[in-house]
Each structure stands twice: as C-alpha cells, then as structure tokens.
Amino acid sequence: MSLTLADLIAFNAVLMAAIAAPGAALLYFIKTTVSSGRVAGMLTGVGLGIAAALWTLAALLGLEAVFTVFPWTYTALKIGGALYLIWIAIQTWRHAHNPLGEAPMPHGRAIVSGLLLNFGNPKSMLFAAAVIVVVFPQGLGAVDIAIIVANHLVLELTFYAVFAVLLSSPPARRAYIGLKPVLDRIAATLLGALGLRLILEK
C-alpha cells in the first residue's frame, strides 16, 4: 500500500500535539530562546528537529526490533540521555542568579545541544513507532518513507522557528529577565526530574 494525504494529516496532528506538549525538548528550547536569543533558539530547534526526524526514520526502518533483541542498546541510550538532562539541570540551577550574557550561544553548540537532547531519548523513537503502526499502512516504499521523514523535519523546524520568533520578542525577554532565577530553578527541577525518571523507571 502507498502513502496517502490523509495518512500525513493524521500523523501531523499527532506530531504537533507531541511537539507542543511540555517536555525536556520544549523546556530546553524555551530557556535557550529567551536567554540566548532568536538565532540560538532556531538553531536549537534545528538540532531537536533533525534528531526527532531521524528517530522517526529509525522507527520506519524497524529499529525498535533491535531494542527488543538487544535491550542493552536501549538502556545505554536512555541512561546517556538521562545523564545529559541532569547535567543541563545542574548547570541551569547553578547559574540561575547569573545575569544574561551578551555573547550569543555559538551556532554549532546550539545545534549539537538540540541533537544530543533528542538523541538521548529513545522513547521518541518508540513513540514514533507506535504512531506509525496506527497511522500508516504496512509495506511503505523508500519514497514514502522519505516523504514522511521530510514532512516530520519540516513540521519540527517550522514549529520551532515560529515559536523562537515569538519568544525572542522584547516583552518576552524582559519578562524572562525579571523572573530568571525562579524560571531557571523551575526548568532545572523539571529537567532533573525527567532525567531521574529515565534512570529509575524500568
């Protein structure tokens, strides 16, 4: 069977809900955008989007079967991602009272941070696999798979680009500066809790 427009619309509806749901990726993106500016936010979104689209590709290619056969690979990825989240949480907490620096985040660092954050969450691939099984027909060809992955990437990049523009506005930045210690501590707590949950859950 081949891919249909209705399949893509259904996939995009679920995907948009998942992207917008509060989680480690969105929290880190928001913090980076309001603290380091629009470009840093957009580039972080590029990293997040590429990693998420690659997890969808992995799901389409059946990587969840590898996790089933070799569960240590899933565990290793999960623990690595959890430790990275905890490291971000510690750094955010330590620097909560520091004033915002004027130097922008290096472009490469922003992209890599986004990549690492989403690559360290193999649950993204398992989520994609579950959605794919429900939404798409079996036996998709290479062209259909490429369309789905490209569609996912474009949707992620569009979401983060639009959100970065909104969050980097002067009013949003001023509000963040005024509440920075509180917001950074909240973000650190949530990110750390997510990391600990990944380590502790079976």
Side-chain angles (χ1 to χ4, degrees):
M1 298 182 67
S2 60
L3 181 68
T4 67
L5 180 59
D7 294 334
L8 277 180
I9 291 173
F11 178 67
N12 287 347
V14 176
L15 185 58
M16 282 301 299
I19 296 172
L26 188 60
L27 281 172
Y28 184 71
F29 166 78
I30 291 172
K31 178 190 177 302
T32 301
T33 301
V34 295
S35 62
S36 299
R38 180 183 307 174
V39 174
M42 287 183 174
L43 292 175
T44 300
V46 169
L48 291 169
I50 290 173
L54 289 176
W55 277 129
T56 290
L57 175 61
L60 287 163
L61 296 178
L63 187 57
E64 73 273 16
V66 175
F67 287 157
T68 301
V69 176
F70 303 105
W72 65 267
T73 58
Y74 176 82
T75 302
L77 277 172
K78 187 174 73 167
I79 291 176
L83 292 176
Y84 184 64
L85 283 176
I86 292 171
W87 181 82
I88 292 175
I90 291 172
Q91 296 304 310
T92 301
W93 185 280
R94 285 181 58 198
H95 301 293
H97 286 282
N98 291 3
L100 290 179
E102 295 300 324
M105 178 183 291
H107 293 179
R109 179 183 166 192
I111 295 173
V112 170
S113 294
L115 282 169
L116 290 176
L117 194 64
N118 262 356
F119 273 147
N121 185 13
K123 282 191 169 183
S124 297
M125 194 280 298
L126 299 178
F127 169 80
V131 173
I132 285 165
V133 168
V134 173
V135 172
F136 297 116
Q138 293 182 341
L140 293 174
V143 174
D144 289 337
I145 290 175
I147 290 172
I148 293 169
V149 174
N151 166 84
H152 185 161
L153 180 59
V154 169
L155 197 64
E156 293 257 357
L157 296 183
T158 301
F159 173 87
Y160 287 121
V162 171
F163 210 11
V165 171
L166 296 175
L167 287 173
S168 61
S169 65
R173 186 175 173 82
R174 284 195 299 270
Y176 176 78
I177 291 173
L179 296 172
K180 182 180 183 295
V182 175
L183 294 177
D184 278 9
R185 291 283 167 85
I186 292 173
T189 301
L190 293 174
L191 289 169
L194 287 168
L196 287 174
R197 180 182 173 187
L198 279 173
I199 291 176
L200 296 175
E201 71 182 1
K202 296 181 179 180

